Amino acid sequence: MNDDIILQTDHLSKSFFKYQVLTDVNYQLMRGMIAAIIGPNGAGKSTFFNLVTGYHTVSGGNVFFKGQEITNWARHKIAKIGITRAFQVSNIYPKLTTYENVRQSILAQQKRTLNLFIPAERLAKQETLDLLEITGLSGFRNTEAGILSQGDKKKLELALALASKPDLLLLDEPTAGMSSEETHETMQLVKRLNKEIGLTILFTEHDISVIFGYAQKLSVLHQGILVAEGTPEEVRQNKEAQACYLGEEI
Amino acid sequence: MDKKYIFIKRFWLPVALFFIAIILPFVVSEFWVHVFNEILILGLFAAAFNLVFGYMGQLSFGQAAYYGIGAYTTGLLMVKLQWPLFACLPVSMLTAGIGALILGYFCVKLRGIYFAILTMAFGQLVFFIIFQWYSFTGGDNGLQGINPPEWLFKAIPYYYFSLAVVTIGMIILYFITESPFGYTLRAIRDNTERTEFIGINVQRYMLINFVISGMFCGLAGALWGPFNRSVAPDLCGWQHSGHPVFMAVMGGPHHFLGPMIGSVIFTFLNAFVTGFTEYWPLVSGLVIIVVVLVMPGGVFGIIKEKGYFSPRDVGDVKNE
């Protein structure tokens, strides 16, 4: 397998009982890229993420990460080898403070969570503050995460994923619930992380301006089938993509 | 914020309780010294149970099994092998921990009501083994003559011995709850799914915690035998597993001292009410109903709600 391919799926399929939600998806993502998977609701975008990250078991086909097969691995093992994700609906620790949320993820990455006797508050202070700073959450560090605004919860979701220092970051509608200003800030951060540390990013999104503004590669899913792939310009010109995505020109 | 202020804010209550516990035998009768000794032992039991309930978010209805294993280990070692009490305590923790490891291995595969039912089923299994094994455990007769050494024989010395052991146990438990491991338990409680996605093997952490909880339940059980001079299979039964549940709910499961405060309320009420009526379960049932309806977060929950503590109090003032 080509070393530049960070993620590859071969004939990846998923069915829930008799419903086929993903069919024979052959997908390749190159290292260091920002790519997006687009498609209407129910196209199978989140299912694709769920299969790659071990959230659902794969019904057919294989998933490879950096050349290693990871099909149906346990979620924590997939996270440990370098794939993390942010969820569509923010998935955080509502009773912990924003600071404690981020610290928890950092301590897990540093493999310090089995430490029984050093107070957690003494550990990973600077790393936590830095990550809160770059995700724009410093002002809320002592706020219980459950009462943050929807946009801030999404930022925290991103911070939790970033704290794991992944090689591949999957973002499921990262800007849903954010204002246009927050959307821009978040996507700028994503772009900066990609540029500065070479983080590979795969995201799903409905906001056309975000998709065409940031993605270097687009893949179009429709009813669980990968119908088109290419640069944003190529996809824009693709009649099949236009037909099944919005039913009109994109 | 000033470190000294944070320290005082965090620890004034446990320190005050500790000093009150020291002077109590000088101001109350021997009967009440017995009651307070019971409060300490059951408080440790409830605090150990609360590692699973309040911190990890799973309700165990079988922690009495490990309490009972600890009590029987000490009882058997002292009665049959004449071991000194001091040596029995760590061995009791070990046997209870092994029991929790074996039974917990299956329990941590489940969550919620299924976890609760399996812990209860295993608790009953331990109860029936002890109940039926006459030649070894004495069956339903239990074990008698578990006498502490002479210098601990009277109520007050044994009370201070219990106070010392329980205090050490509570300090260790406190450190655990404030450690990265303790926060991982909170993370599992708050959002198990997310915890897996940050790279944590949730089942493994749940098992480790179950074992730690079992060990400290065993330590509390080990203190009970010499205190009561006997042990009986009832100690392992599901009804006894309910006591730490009541205590944690009464005191407040989301506060480290909640179960100990719950033990004070529960045990004190028990001693007080049984002086007037035999219908103690009726009274305890009414108290639980009132607590659940009026203050669902327990005593500490209502104190927090009224704003006497910040949301991050007693061991939770952070990042100021």
Side-chain angles (χ1 to χ4, degrees):
Chain A
M1 190 180 285
N2 185 344
D3 279 353
D4 287 338
I5 299 171
I6 193 164
L7 179 73
Q8 178 173 331
T9 66
D10 289 341
H11 302 286
L12 190 64
S13 302
K14 177 67 185 173
S15 56
F16 292 103
F17 304 103
K18 60 179 180 178
Y19 300 105
Q20 191 73 26
V21 286
L22 213 59
T23 310
D24 275 339
V25 174
N26 293 311
Y27 181 78
Q28 283 189 345
L29 178 61
M30 308 305 275
R31 207 181 283 266
M33 197 172 239
I34 299 181
I37 294 182
I38 61 172
N41 282 332
K45 307 183 295 291
S46 295
T47 304
F48 180 78
F49 276 21
N50 289 339
L51 296 180
V52 170
T53 55
Y55 189 82
H56 288 322
T57 52
V58 172
S59 304
N62 311 87
V63 183
F64 296 91
F65 178 65
K66 293 197 241 174
Q68 184 176 15
E69 182 165 4
I70 59 164
T71 316
N72 287 333
W73 274 25
R75 299 163 185 183
H76 68 271
K77 279 177 80 179
I78 293 176
K80 267 185 185 164
I81 64 158
I83 303 178
T84 56
R85 68 179 291 183
F87 288 81
Q88 196 172 17
V89 178
S90 54
N91 204 348
I92 53 171
Y93 302 115
K95 298 279 181 201
L96 300 185
T97 63
T98 307
Y99 179 92
E100 289 164 348
N101 265 267
V102 175
R103 184 185 63 196
Q104 182 58 36
S105 192
I106 290 173
L107 290 175
Q109 188 275 326
Q110 294 177 345
K111 298 186 171 61
R112 290 162 110 173
T113 43
L114 261 182
N115 190 325
L116 285 173
F117 293 106
I118 296 179
E121 64 183 328
R122 287 196 202 154
L123 301 172
K125 272 184 183 171
Q126 200 52 50
E127 296 95 315
T128 309
L129 293 174
D130 289 347
L131 196 46
L132 288 170
E133 181 70 38
I134 66 165
T135 47
L137 289 167
S138 290
F140 302 107
R141 63 185 171 141
N142 289 330
T143 307
E144 271 193 5
I147 58 171
L148 290 173
S149 71
Q150 203 50 40
D152 288 329
K153 280 182 184 165
K154 294 291 281 189
K155 286 182 189 171
L156 180 55
E157 176 79 37
L158 179 61
L160 287 180
L162 288 174
S164 301
K165 291 191 177 167
D167 296 319
L168 171 61
L169 177 61
L170 305 181
L171 304 171
D172 200 351
E173 296 190 25
T175 63
M178 287 185 179
S179 65
S180 59
E181 194 183 337
E182 285 174 324
T183 297
H184 179 69
E185 277 172 24
T186 303
M187 291 315 293
Q188 280 300 322
L189 171 64
V190 166
K191 198 172 176 180
R192 210 172 78 220
L193 289 166
N194 170 259
K195 205 172 175 186
E196 288 174 9
I197 60 171
L199 181 61
T200 310
I201 292 151
L202 177 61
F203 69 97
T204 68
E205 187 59 67
H206 283 296
D207 186 332
I208 295 291
S209 67
V210 171
I211 295 166
F212 285 93
Y214 294 92
Q216 297 154 351
K217 175 191 175 184
L218 290 184
S219 306
V220 184
L221 271 177
H222 181 59
Q223 293 180 348
I225 298 167
L226 194 60
V227 294
E229 246 187 338
T231 63
E233 207 41 52
E234 286 166 353
V235 170
R236 201 194 288 270
Q237 304 303 330
N238 187 304
K239 295 287 175 206
E240 203 172 359
Q242 287 177 11
C244 64
Y245 184 51
L246 288 176
E248 57 192 47
E249 205 167 293
I250 49 177
Chain B
M1 196 185 285
D2 185 5
K3 276 186 177 174
K4 200 171 154 190
Y5 172 75
I6 294 173
F7 185 84
I8 292 170
K9 192 177 178 195
R10 209 181 271 191
F11 295 115
W12 71 268
L13 185 58
V15 170
L17 289 174
F18 179 71
F19 280 107
I20 290 170
I22 286 179
I23 49 174
L24 269 175
F26 296 103
V27 292
V28 297
S29 68
E30 194 171 315
F31 170 76
W32 289 106
V33 174
H34 275 290
V35 172
F36 284 110
N37 204 340
E38 201 173 324
I39 285 171
L40 289 173
I41 295 170
L42 293 179
L44 178 62
F45 179 28
F49 154 81
N50 203 43
L51 277 186
V52 175
F53 179 56
Y55 286 90
M56 197 174 82
Q58 296 297 323
L59 174 57
S60 168
F61 254 111
Q63 293 310 91
Y66 315 109
Y67 180 86
I69 290 173
Y72 268 88
T73 303
T74 291
L76 288 165
L77 289 173
M78 287 179 74
V79 171
K80 299 204 172 183
L81 299 175
Q82 285 77 48
W83 275 37
L85 175 57
F86 279 100
C88 295
L89 298 184
V91 178
S92 295
M93 287 181 80
L94 187 68
T95 52
I98 291 169
L101 178 67
I102 295 166
L103 303 180
Y105 174 79
F106 301 99
C107 297
V108 299
K109 293 178 187 295
L110 305 173
R111 307 278 190 277
I113 186 68
Y114 303 103
F115 178 91
I117 287 173
L118 195 60
T119 53
M120 187 162 84
F122 279 136
Q124 288 304 94
L125 181 74
V126 172
F127 167 80
F128 279 110
I129 290 171
I130 290 173
F131 189 80
Q132 297 290 340
W133 200 355
Y134 274 86
S135 60
F136 187 58
T137 62
D140 59 350
N141 296 321
L143 286 173
Q144 283 79 39
I146 309 169
N147 295 320
E150 208 170 314
W151 60 280
L152 289 176
F153 207 79
K154 288 190 173 170
I156 292 176
Y158 197 83
Y159 169 81
Y160 281 118
F161 175 69
S162 292
L163 180 61
V165 174
V166 170
T167 303
I168 293 167
M170 292 294 282
I171 289 171
I172 295 171
L173 286 176
Y174 176 73
F175 268 95
I176 291 171
T177 58
E178 289 303 305
S179 70
F181 179 79
Y183 273 88
T184 304
L185 298 180
R186 291 171 175 86
I188 291 169
R189 175 196 68 197
D190 269 16
N191 193 337
T192 307
E193 190 177 86
R194 170 45 94 183
T195 308
E196 288 177 321
F197 282 109
I198 60 171
I200 287 172
N201 184 346
V202 167
Q203 215 161 291
R204 183 169 161 225
Y205 279 72
M206 285 177 71
L207 181 58
I208 294 169
N209 186 46
F210 199 80
V211 171
I212 294 170
S213 169
M215 289 172 77
F216 282 89
C217 289
L219 178 63
L223 286 173
W224 180 264
F227 165 69
N228 199 46
R229 309 291 195 259
S230 67
V231 290
D234 287 357
L235 289 180
C236 308
W238 67 273
Q239 283 165 310
H240 202 244
S241 284
H243 290 172
V245 182
F246 290 159
M247 289 168 188
V249 169
M250 278 182 188
H254 299 306
H255 192 285
F256 180 73
L257 286 176
M260 184 57 85
I261 298 300
S263 172
V264 173
I265 300 167
F266 186 85
T267 316
F268 187 80
L269 265 178
N270 184 0
F272 189 71
V273 172
T274 45
F276 297 99
T277 171
E278 60 187 287
Y279 299 115
W280 153 242
L282 180 71
V283 177
S284 66
L286 286 173
V287 171
I288 286 290
I289 290 168
V290 170
V291 168
V292 171
L293 291 178
V294 180
M295 40 184 197
V299 171
F300 277 106
I302 200 108
I303 291 172
K304 272 184 187 176
E305 205 176 284
K306 298 282 177 199
Y308 296 119
F309 287 135
S310 72
R312 303 256 164 253
D313 57 330
V314 192
D316 274 325
V317 181
K318 294 198 170 66
N319 324 314
E320 306 278 346

